[in-house]
Amino acid sequence: MKRPVADESINLHGLAPDVALLRVRNKCQEPGMKGHTLLVIHGYGQGILRERVRNWGQSSLLVKTMWPGEQYNLPGGGGVTLFFLSLLFCLMACLVDCVIATSETPAAETSDTIAAAETKSPVFLIEIPLPVTAECNANLRRSLASAFDRDFKEKEHASNVDPVIVFRFRTAPGEEEHAKTTLFGDAFELARFLRGKQFAPGGKNSFRTIAWISGPLAGHALLPALACDELIVGAECALGPASLNDSLPTEAERSAYREMTTKKGCESLLDAWLNPALKLYEYESDTGHGFLVGDSLAAATPQGMAFLTEPVEYAYPLGRGVFAGAELRRVGLVDRTLDTSGDEESLADFVAAVPGVDGQVTRVPLLATVRPGVIRIFGTLGPAMMAQIQRKILDAFETSQVNCLILEIESPGGSLTDALNLGNYLVNEIDHGTVRVIGYVPNEARGDAAILALSCDELYVGEHAILGGAGAAVPDPTELEAASRTIAESWAPRSGRNPSLATAMLSSRSPLRQYRNRVSGKVDWFTESLYQQAGDRDQWQPGEVVVGQGYLFQTKGKEAVTFRMAEGTVRSFSELCSVCGIGKEPLVVQPHWVDVFLQGLASPLWSGILLSLAFALLYIEANSPGLGFAGMFAALFLILFFWANLLGGTAGWLEVLLLLFGAILVLLEIFVIPGFGLTGVLGGACMLIALVLATQTFVIPRNFYQWEQFRNSLLMLCIVGVGTLAVAVTGFRTLLTRFSLPPGEPTSPQSSQEERLTPGQRGRTTSPCLPAGKARFGDNWVSVLAEDAVPVPADTPVEIVRISGNQITVRPVKPW
């Protein structure tokens, strides 16, 4: 029996199964089709459309006989099915279909379905330079992941059909010989990637892939081309050989080529590609045209195989192991040939020759060599921190030429406005065609920090990381309204993330409910306000409440992936780099040393140390009048404390003014108002309140997280009090020992003559007295202490006021 021949064909690529079956049935019912054969081109893909088409052919009265392409060696193999339509069967089927259509199918629905059948798939073109290298593979993965987030989802949703991705294999002028040097390992890695269709992070996607070869192609670069769903080649293009040396192909290479090639019956041709030294025989049999390969025809011929004509050895008109595109089309390895050369001006011809695709082509640029950089965002968000982060991002792009930016976020939030500003910069100001932004939350990103994380192109979280929920700040209604509008109108369309989930992380005014689409069965989540704004809300059936009114939405680890807010979970930063295809160690964008210094000072440990030292020095200053260095250092430590927290986003000018006001009241109580009363208590309270407010972003705690932070602030103050007391006691004694003359300690040369010194005796200072110093009385040099701790310069006339033990007190006098 000869191979059946098709009278007409129909291409179903890019169509939904229901629409495709409707087009096949309509085609079979055309008057000219009765008694003819129809070749249905459904492709390979995941096999869903092929199974639906063949099940329909077996059960339909329109089809008398069905020939699967792979069983009858039809051009296209398992990607096609041939139907034979009988005149009697078609007449009966038409009557049955008319009755069914009249009773069950409304006219409007039929017209809508036919209109849907004309929907064409969007086309994306990405060029793969030859030779294929590991670097090329990494760049291709990043390019497709970035384009998927930016364009694929939007156009797939708009057209309601699977996108078509065209991979054009091109050789740079003058690089023909170098283009042949693709290593097998790199080619096989790319082939597996294209076959797996893991374009979007974390999932397998339904795309129609086409390899477009517009020029000569040799070496193992043939392997990824064969892995695509379809192979389109210029009719005169020369392909092969795959092996460019005299070594025999390994079993791994043979298995890879057979595994990646979707066309059946081409095994001999693949062997000839891998080992051009083998003889190739061309034959005609009852199943069609084909090739056999081996050392001899007898060894190559399968047992029991019958030939219509005597096989002849293939002459290789283009060279050993080299085949023209037209020849490969004849044996079914190539799906379609083009007469054009594949240059820029032939792109429109290429698209016109591919059925079922949109005429518009979106180019996906192949991103350059990956240059990863990481910026770590730790602590409470605030204006100063956000400005610092934006400066780091600009520095990473301009100075370090980073094109893969990782934002490691470990923050309880703190300022929704500032988080939105930085998020808008990441979403709208960065060229996502050349830069990939990855968010990483190892432990927590609460409140508005979660919104900042969701502004990234991709988001990965730790297995136990908290995303959303109560954070360091409670936004006001104006901020919430602006945030909801920005997320719904700007961020969500590009990232594909649900704006209701992001809004529910910030606001508890509306419950979050799960809905199921009555038509597609898709599950999604809406807040009440965004559900009312949905244009297709009549199609959504309400389900269970995820988060009730009065509670904030919060996810943890894998739940974020379930809610489609994160692409996946990772256990470490190194695993993140592995999942994202980042082969090299990312550059850590280092902040300025001042930023590092102040960030360290803002930590609870150093904040406590600074406050303890400041209050201890103030205590010493109050008990030792004239010791100006203690007050000076106390003021310095307080300035450092407030400066660090000011840049950290927790302190503001309100806290600084409140501290100054409290300090003024305390000083008035000590030096002006007698006793210790209300002024001192009020001043101390103002200073304590200022210190508490300086370590947090809120005034009155309003959620669980804020109460926890308030408790930690009070605990820090208690520790500071204990530390202050300990430092003050030990420090005061040390300072008195250092700057005063201890009782009973003689000093030379005073020790032998100090008894002859009397009050009223005059001399001259030999060093500054601050208040301790040295003075000369006659032939005696002694240690003295200035009266009332008033500093006395060197070489100043002084007189002894009193002598108490070894302590001699002096005061300045007019020169004699």
Side-chain angles (χ1 to χ4, degrees), residues 527-551:
T527 58
E528 184 61 30
S529 59
L530 291 180
Y531 173 72
Q532 294 299 329
Q533 298 174 17
D536 58 346
R537 62 177 179 272
D538 295 338
Q539 299 181 8
W540 293 94
Q541 180 179 358
E544 62 181 3
V545 175
V546 179
V547 178
Q549 186 173 358
Y551 296 91

Side-chain angles (χ1 to χ4, degrees), residues 288-308:
H289 179 272
F291 290 100
L292 294 173
V293 66
D295 295 330
S296 64
L297 178 62
T301 303
Q303 186 175 3
M305 185 174 183
F307 300 108
L308 297 179

